[in-house]
Each structure stands twice: as structure tokens, then as C-alpha cells.
Amino acid sequence: MNNKRDPNETMDFLTSKRLITTALILLVILNVSLLSVLWWQNMHTPRPAPVTHTREISRSVYFSIPLSLTQQQTESFRELRKEHFHKVRPEMEAIANLKAALVEESFNTTPDTIKIANMALALGSRQAKIEQELAMHFHDLAEVCTPGQRDSLKTVLEQLATKKFVLRQSRWNSHAQRANP
């Protein structure tokens, strides 16, 4: 008896329909099992609370580091900022409503120029109130600081104001360039 197999017999086995069908069924079962395990893990794994990056938080960090604020000062800053935003929110909402009314009036076939002028004055008045509140807010922030921190706070606030002005100016310039090619 010869134990040698015929090479054609081995090739027939590898190309047979039974082997291909069995391999496909095994692969499908493995894929379904893997997807089931992944789905189960996804559904049963506790998710961390979403991190929201708000302007308030970023400003707290923005002030804390260059001013070397203590934890108590940082918390005071955070509370003062909350109070400030709570105070100016009605003015901001009123400004948004006035601007919407201004746009609406400007699209009338014959815009009422007196109404537009009154809305513009009301906008200016509300913006002035916001600026007054902002100045008092800066004063309250300075009260929390040590004398050395006050100088740093003044520098940071000046940089913030300058940065906003430069951004607005560059936006206006880019709009002007597009309008006048």
C-alpha cells in the first residue's frame, strides 16, 4: 500500500464547492459574532459626560494662567462672569430684536427713515448700557486681583479689545475688497 496521495486529489478538495461553502459560512458566522460583540460593548459601556467648550470656560482658563489666579480667584472670576452675562442678556436680546426689525424695515418698498433712525438710536442706547456694564464688570474683576495681577489683567483686557478690533477691521477690509475689485 502506497500512502502517497495524488496531487490532483488535493487540488480537487481545495477547489470543491463544499470547502468554499464551508469557508464562507464560517466567515459569515465570525463576522456576525464580531459585530454582535462590538454592538453589545457599545451599548453597555458607560459613556463619559460630553465636554462642552464654552466661551465662559475658555475665558476662565484664558485669565487664570497669565494672571496666576488662585483657585478661589478663578471661582470668583467665574461667578462674576456669570453675573455679568446674566445682567447684559436682556440688552443683547433687545439688540438682536432691534436688528431684526431694522432688517425687516429696510426691505419694505418705502422704508420709514424715521423709524430706522429711532431703531438705530435705540440700538446705540442699548449698546451703551452693555459697555457701561462691561466697564463695571472689569472693575469687579480687578477687585478680585492683587495689585500685580491687576496690571496683567489690564494687559490681557487690552489685548482682547485690540484683537477683536483687528479681527473686525480685517473682516471689513476683506468685504470692501470683494465689493470693489
Side-chain angles (χ1 to χ4, degrees), residues 18-35:
R18 189 181 345 174
L19 176 67
I20 293 173
T21 306
T22 306
L24 282 173
I25 290 172
L26 260 171
L27 286 174
V28 168
I29 291 171
L30 286 173
N31 280 335
V32 169
S33 300
L34 180 62
L35 288 172

Side-chain angles (χ1 to χ4, degrees), residues 59 61-69 73 77 138 141-142 144-161:
R59 289 288 193 252
V61 172
Y62 187 79
F63 286 127
S64 295
I65 295 170
L67 301 180
S68 301
L69 296 176
Q73 286 175 316
F77 263 55
F138 290 162
L141 291 177
V144 172
C145 296
T146 64
Q149 289 172 329
R150 284 184 188 148
D151 293 337
S152 297
L153 177 63
K154 183 179 179 184
T155 303
V156 167
L157 293 175
E158 286 171 348
Q159 287 173 348
L160 258 176

Side-chain angles (χ1 to χ4, degrees), residues 65-79:
I65 295 170
L67 301 180
S68 301
L69 296 176
T70 65
Q71 186 63 36
Q72 184 179 0
Q73 286 175 316
T74 301
E75 192 57 40
S76 294
F77 263 55
R78 194 172 287 135
E79 282 301 312

Side-chain angles (χ1 to χ4, degrees), residues 62-119:
Y62 187 79
F63 286 127
S64 295
I65 295 170
L67 301 180
S68 301
L69 296 176
T70 65
Q71 186 63 36
Q72 184 179 0
Q73 286 175 316
T74 301
E75 192 57 40
S76 294
F77 263 55
R78 194 172 287 135
E79 282 301 312
L80 287 170
R81 290 187 58 74
K82 281 182 188 177
E83 289 172 18
H84 170 69
F85 288 120
H86 183 72
K87 279 182 188 176
V88 298
R89 185 178 184 145
E91 298 299 329
M92 298 295 283
E93 289 172 353
I95 286 174
N97 291 335
L98 281 166
K99 285 184 177 183
L102 193 64
V103 168
E104 187 69 33
E105 185 63 34
S106 67
F107 277 89
N108 288 339
T109 52
T110 54
D112 184 347
T113 56
I114 294 172
K115 190 174 181 180
I116 290 174
N118 287 335
M119 284 190 271

Side-chain angles (χ1 to χ4, degrees), residues 6-19:
D6 184 18
N8 289 336
E9 203 177 286
T10 308
M11 287 299 274
D12 288 342
F13 175 72
L14 291 175
T15 59
S16 73
K17 284 185 175 181
R18 189 181 345 174
L19 176 67

